[in-house]
Amino acid sequence: MKTPATSRRNFLRQLSIGAGALTLGSSLSSFDELLLADKKLGIALVGLGNYAGGQLAPALQHTQNCYLAGIVTGTPEKAKTWSAKYNIPQKNIYNYQNFDSIAQNPDIDIVYVVLPVSMHKEYTIRAAKAGKHVICEKPMALNAADCREMIDACKQANRMLSIGYRLHFEPHHIEVMRLGQQQVLGKVKQLETANGFVYGGDPNAWRLKKSLSGGGALMDMGIYAIQGSRYTLGQEPIAVKARQEKTKPDLFKEVDETIFWELEFRGNFIAHGKSSYNNNWGYLKAKTANGFFELEPAYGYGGIDGKTSSGPMNIPNVRQQALQMDDFASCVINKKPTRVPGEEGLKDMKVIDAIYRSLDSGKQEKIG
Ligand code: NAD
C-alpha cells in the first residue's frame, strides 16, 4: 500500500471521529470507501513468462487501482531486467524459496499467479496463507478437486480469490452476455464456440507435459469456448459428450490435440464446442429465434470483432487485463465480491473434468 494515502485516510478518520462529524456504522464505511478509492494496491506477479511479461506488466502501466509492486522469479537475470524496466525495489523481489516471507511486505496486497497450471494450487494457497489476496491464471488448477482446495484455503485465510478471466471485462463479451441472457434477439436456438491455434512452439514446453499442464488445448484454449457457452446462456451445463482427434501423436504424446464436445443444458439444449492445438479457431456463434449474434475473432487480446443480425457491433477494443486487474483491486478496496471468483474457475474445471471422463468412457458424462 502507498503510505501517503494510508496516512491521509487515518488522519481523516481521526479528524472526523474526533470532530463528531460521523456516526459509526454505514456512514463510516462509505466514507472509508471514498478515501480508499484514491490508493493503488500493490500487485506481485509470480512467474515472469510470456503472459506476465507480454501482457500483465504492460497492462499494469495503465491501471488506476493497482500497480506492479513486486515480482517472484526463479531466474536472477529476470529479476535484474524487470527491476530496471519497472522500477521494482530489491525488497519487493522474491524467489520461490523465500516467497512466503512476502507476508511481511506491506507493499504487496495482491499476488498474481502466472505459472504453469500444476503450480497454481500451491502458490495460490501459499499467497493466501501469507495474507495476500490472489488472482490465479486460467485454467485454475489441474482438476476440480484442487480448485475446491484453493477456494477453501482463501476463505480460511479470509482473502479474496479471483481467476484471470479477462473476457468478463471485455465489452463484446459483456454484450454477448446481455444478448444471450436477456434474449434480446429471442431465445438462443443454436450455439457453437471454438478456440484453438496451430501449435508451433517448443515441443518440450510445459504446455505439452500432462503433469504440468493437466491437459492440452482443452485446458488452455477450450476453457474460453466452454465459458462462452455458459455466459451466453447464463446457465450451468448438466452433462457432456466428447470425442477427440490426434493427427500429430508425436508432438501431442501426453496431451489432447483437438476435442469436440456437446454440452447439454436444461431443456435438452446442446451447445457445440471444440478446442485445438492444430486449428486456428476463435469464434462464438449464436442463432436465436429472431436473428443471430457472433464474435470472431472472439477470445484473444489482439482485437475482438462482432456482429448481430442487425449489423456490426461497432464496439471498441479495450485493455482487457488492465480492466480485469483494476476491477479486482477495486473489489478488494471496497470489500465487494469479484465477478470472476474461484467458484467461476471451479465451474469450468467441472466441465473440463467431465469432458476428459467422457473421452475415457465414450459416453455422455454428468457434470458436477
Ligand atoms: P510461460 O511458459 O511463458 O511462463 C511460465 C513461467 O513460469 C516462466 O517464467 C517460467 O520460468 C515459470 N516457471 C516456474 N517453474 C516452472 C516449471 N517447473 N516449468 C516451467 N515454467 C516454470 O507460460 P505463460 O504463457 O506465461 O502461461 C502462464 C500462465 O498464464 C498459464 O496458466 C496460462 O494458461 C496463463 N495464460 C493466460 C492467458 C490469458 O489470456 N489469460 C494467456 C496466456 C497464458
Side-chain angles (χ1 to χ4, degrees):
M1 283 186 199
K2 284 190 169 169
T3 340
T6 312
S7 28
R8 185 161 66 249
R9 189 174 77 242
N10 289 339
F11 169 73
L12 284 168
R13 184 189 280 139
Q14 277 162 13
L15 187 73
S16 42
I17 290 172
L22 285 176
T23 50
L24 287 170
S26 62
S27 44
L28 180 60
S29 63
S30 59
F31 186 65
D32 261 355
E33 275 188 19
L34 270 178
L35 297 171
L36 280 160
D38 65 349
K39 159 186 82 74
K40 284 189 171 193
L41 299 189
I43 291 194
L45 296 175
V46 188
L48 308 181
N50 288 324
Y51 193 55
Q55 300 299 326
L56 297 177
L60 282 163
Q61 309 313 303
H62 299 277
T63 39
Q64 310 298 315
N65 303 328
C66 51
Y67 73 107
L68 179 56
I71 48 177
V72 183
T73 176
T75 318
E77 202 46 48
K78 278 192 203 166
K80 248 191 241 157
T81 42
W82 276 66
S83 164
K85 186 168 179 187
Y86 294 112
N87 199 19
I88 298 168
Q90 191 56 40
K91 68 182 174 60
N92 292 357
I93 301 177
Y94 294 86
N95 57 41
Y96 298 110
Q97 285 70 46
N98 66 18
F99 171 69
D100 305 285
S101 62
I102 205 166
Q104 280 87 51
N105 191 332
D107 289 354
I108 312 296
D109 303 284
I110 297 167
V111 164
Y112 196 147
V113 180
V114 206
L115 290 162
V117 184
S118 61
M119 302 171 79
H120 289 184
K121 179 171 95 170
E122 177 187 342
Y123 282 86
T124 294
I125 294 176
R126 280 170 72 178
K129 284 189 172 157
K132 306 303 174 184
H133 302 283
V134 187
I135 310 176
C136 175
E137 256 315 315
K138 48 58 61 177
M140 182 172 170
L142 294 174
N143 52 55
D146 283 0
C147 295
R148 287 193 188 92
E149 274 188 56
M150 293 156 77
I151 292 169
D152 289 349
C154 290
K155 278 203 180 120
Q156 244 174 30
N158 198 20
R159 298 294 86 183
M160 285 177 68
L161 169 61
S162 178
I163 308 304
Y165 284 146
R166 55 187 164 74
L167 292 175
H168 283 251
F169 307 90
E170 200 288 325
H172 293 86
H173 284 263
I174 292 171
E175 177 64 355
V176 155
M177 293 172 199
R178 186 184 77 89
L179 293 171
Q181 294 177 23
Q182 297 181 18
Q183 305 187 0
V184 175
L185 300 168
K187 211 171 160 160
V188 175
K189 298 287 188 189
Q190 276 181 39
L191 183 58
E192 199 179 321
T193 60
N195 199 20
F197 69 100
V198 179
Y199 187 92
D202 179 1
N204 298 312
W206 66 264
R207 278 190 166 76
L208 305 191
K209 293 195 165 50
K210 193 165 176 2
S211 60
L212 294 173
S213 61
L218 178 66
M219 295 279 281
D220 195 19
M221 307 301 287
I223 191 166
Y224 292 98
I226 291 166
Q227 203 178 84
S229 309
R230 291 179 43 240
Y231 58 64
T232 299
L233 299 169
Q235 292 175 31
E236 292 312 314
I238 304 159
V240 69
K241 172 122 188 358
R243 68 181 173 86
Q244 68 173 322
E245 264 177 26
K246 216 172 251 198
T247 60
K248 296 175 179 164
D250 289 345
L251 186 58
F252 304 112
K253 269 195 293 285
E254 298 186 23
V255 299
D256 48 281
E257 178 188 309
T258 300
I259 294 181
F260 304 84
W261 65 85
E262 293 172 0
L263 204 50
E264 185 183 330
F265 289 83
R266 65 172 184 258
N268 294 323
F269 181 87
I270 302 286
H272 292 264
K274 53 192 182 183
S275 60
S276 185
Y277 270 159
N278 201 34
N279 290 278
N280 291 314
W281 292 326
Y283 62 79
L284 182 156
K285 294 183 183 185
K287 286 196 179 136
T288 65
N290 307 323
F292 72 87
F293 58 88
E294 59 185 53
L295 301 180
E296 188 171 17
Y299 307 105
Y301 28 79
I304 290 175
D305 207 0
K307 62 183 177 197
T308 73
S309 36
S310 312
M313 283 186 180
N314 287 326
I315 293 174
N317 277 283
V318 295
R319 284 198 182 91
Q320 300 171 21
Q321 292 85 355
L323 291 177
Q324 171 215 324
M325 290 186 279
D326 261 347
D327 185 82
F328 185 61
S330 160
C331 289
V332 170
I333 291 166
N334 295 312
K335 297 190 171 60
K336 292 199 170 122
T338 160
R339 72 184 85 157
V340 283
E343 285 78 0
E344 191 64 25
L346 169 62
K347 284 175 184 166
D348 287 325
M349 275 323 296
K350 283 186 189 172
V351 178
I352 289 175
D353 284 356
I355 289 178
Y356 285 130
R357 284 202 306 276
S358 174
L359 291 180
D360 285 343
S361 70
K363 294 186 187 142
Q364 190 190 54
E365 292 285 340
K366 292 225 171 335
I367 297 164

